[in-house]
Amino acid sequence: MNAATRPDARDRMIRSAAVLFRQQGIEGTSFSDVLDHSGAPRGSIYHHFPGGKAQLAEEATRYAGDYIAAGLIAALDDGEPVVAIQKFTSFWLELLREADFAAGCPVVAAAVEGDRTPGARVAAGAAFERWHELLATALERRGLPADRARSVASLTIAATEGAIVLARAQRSTEPLEDVAAELERLVASL
Amino acid sequence: MNAATRPDARDRMIRSAAVLFRQQGIEGTSFSDVLDHSGAPRGSIYHHFPGGKAQLAEEATRYAGDYIAAGLIAALDDGEPVVAIQKFTSFWLELLREADFAAGCPVVAAAVEGDRTPGARVAAGAAFERWHELLATALERRGLPADRARSVASLTIAATEGAIVLARAQRSTEPLEDVAAELERLVASL
DNA sequence: GTCTATACGAAGATAGAC
DNA sequence: GTCTATCTTCGTATAGAC
């Protein structure tokens, strides 16, 4: 097993950072946390990330955004936006249960801690926009007028992300289950 | 002007903390930041908050939650939930514009940084639940079945809070405007 | 590419005078 | 109730050897 078959230290650090940001936010996560979690050697931090924590935060946010986007693309492959939205909310419900409400969305963390890590905030904005584009396009393809498709896509992403925040705070899946039901009802009626 | 007519150092610190948490999150805000912003003397931190930063974070989150709840109650006084929801989203739109997208909701910050400040996270959950209760009750009073009222209330709060996060990341009011339009359309049709 | 050691600053928290 | 000073810990970042 060598560098070609196993993720190298750099990738492992990015993945670990994304996981930890989900739980503790960016400010709440130290390099030591990332090293412990990834098993990467301390000496390689500034070798791989000369831009320091800001660079790591930005790359981890971009990685997470791409990861979710890939999931959305796969979910939309079936063609029916309703199904994709169900898969999207189910994905997050599953994550919340697995983590016992101790983890949310790392992209949200980057957005909320905003101006202290500008690169991460920009990456978060780009991720949200990408997801929005994917959903809006799918809704439009299904026959919705372009502007309505865009606003329903906004509602879907905002409501899901917001519900994850509520669910974490209340340690209950109810907000997200409510949102999933309302979104399903709405989109099915279009 | 004395202690009875002017907010004392303790209150000023709580208010300042809430403002700063909106912008930088809890971890991103130091005691020095709070002292600078509030003008409170350094020597009184542990006099007023023997529990340190955890206590300040918890009280600031509770204060912010109560503040928003009071706004919701006032908005619901007109009777029509649609109007109250419009006022709710408009309030946040205004805040985002004023702050040039550099500030969000402090309760969300407490929820996302969660387990590093457990007291604040619990206070965030209580705040969300209170808002939810207010909205759900108003919707039920307007004739909606109880369970539907609850899920529409969840959607409203989750979508609004989520849209604030998206808007900050993208530095655009569009997500929140989209959500406001969709919520208005939905609630008006009930 | 990874190691150890360390500089440097910031932040939370405490002590004791006033 | 507030002041100054300080302790301690921790986190980012750097230096230089291997």
Side-chain angles (χ1 to χ4, degrees):
Chain A
M1 203 180 272
N2 54 33
T5 61
R6 197 181 44 176
D8 60 8
R10 190 172 200 283
D11 283 348
R12 289 206 314 277
M13 287 176 76
I14 290 175
R15 265 180 264 241
S16 290
V19 170
L20 293 167
F21 291 170
R22 272 187 350 199
Q23 302 168 349
Q24 314 174 331
I26 297 176
E27 289 281 337
T29 302
S30 70
F31 267 126
S32 299
D33 292 337
V34 175
L35 295 178
D36 287 350
H37 188 273
S38 65
R42 175 155 222 105
S44 59
I45 295 180
Y46 287 89
H47 174 72
H48 292 305
F49 304 95
K53 194 178 179 178
Q55 184 182 354
L56 175 60
E58 184 177 334
E59 296 204 31
T61 303
R62 191 160 30 229
Y63 165 79
D66 289 346
Y67 181 86
I68 308 285
L72 263 179
I73 290 171
L76 284 166
D77 232 16
D78 297 340
E80 274 303 318
V82 193
V83 178
I85 290 171
Q86 284 171 341
K87 285 184 182 171
F88 189 55
T89 53
S90 295
F91 167 79
W92 289 112
L93 266 175
E94 186 62 24
L95 182 98
L96 284 170
R97 287 202 193 94
E98 265 174 25
D100 195 29
F101 303 103
C105 173
V107 182
V108 168
V112 169
E113 299 184 44
D115 299 315
R116 292 182 67 89
T117 41
R121 201 221 70 222
V122 171
F128 288 139
E129 217 164 313
R130 176 103 177 91
W131 306 351
H132 181 259
E133 185 66 26
L134 288 167
L135 262 182
T137 303
L139 288 166
E140 206 178 336
R141 211 182 295 123
R142 201 193 166 281
L144 265 196
D147 58 339
R148 189 76 207 286
R150 290 184 64 80
S151 69
V152 171
S154 290
L155 180 73
T156 301
I157 296 168
T160 304
E161 290 287 12
I164 295 165
V165 173
L166 267 61
R168 281 187 77 183
Q170 304 182 343
R171 292 184 106 72
S172 160
T173 54
E174 204 182 325
L176 187 47
E177 284 166 340
D178 285 350
V179 161
E182 288 295 330
L183 287 177
E184 183 180 343
R185 177 196 284 256
L186 171 69
V187 176
S189 77
L190 293 174
Chain B
M1 203 180 274
N2 55 33
T5 61
R6 197 182 43 178
D8 60 9
R10 191 172 199 284
D11 283 349
R12 288 206 314 278
M13 287 176 76
I14 291 175
R15 265 181 263 238
S16 288
V19 170
L20 293 167
F21 291 170
R22 271 187 352 199
Q23 302 168 350
Q24 313 175 329
I26 296 176
E27 289 281 336
T29 302
S30 70
F31 268 128
S32 299
D33 292 337
V34 175
L35 295 179
D36 287 349
H37 188 274
S38 65
R42 180 168 273 288
S44 59
I45 295 180
Y46 287 88
H47 174 73
H48 292 304
F49 304 94
K53 195 178 179 179
Q55 184 182 354
L56 175 59
E58 183 178 336
E59 297 204 31
T61 303
R62 190 158 33 227
Y63 165 79
D66 289 347
Y67 182 86
I68 308 284
L72 263 180
I73 290 171
L76 285 166
D77 232 16
D78 298 340
E80 273 304 318
V82 194
V83 177
I85 290 172
Q86 284 172 339
K87 285 183 182 172
F88 190 56
T89 53
S90 294
F91 167 79
W92 289 112
L93 267 175
E94 184 64 23
L95 182 97
L96 284 170
R97 288 203 194 95
E98 264 174 25
D100 196 28
F101 304 102
C105 174
V107 181
V108 169
V112 169
E113 298 183 45
D115 299 314
R116 292 182 67 88
T117 41
R121 202 222 69 223
V122 171
F128 288 139
E129 217 165 315
R130 175 102 176 89
W131 306 351
H132 181 258
E133 184 67 27
L134 288 167
L135 262 182
T137 303
L139 288 165
E140 205 178 337
R141 210 181 295 122
R142 201 191 166 281
L144 267 195
D147 58 339
R148 189 77 207 284
R150 290 184 63 81
S151 69
V152 171
S154 289
L155 179 73
T156 301
I157 295 167
T160 303
E161 290 286 11
I164 294 165
V165 174
L166 269 61
R168 281 187 77 182
Q170 304 183 342
R171 291 185 108 71
S172 160
T173 53
E174 204 181 324
L176 187 47
E177 283 167 341
D178 284 351
V179 161
E182 287 296 330
L183 288 178
E184 183 181 341
R185 178 196 283 256
L186 171 69
V187 177
S189 77
L190 293 174

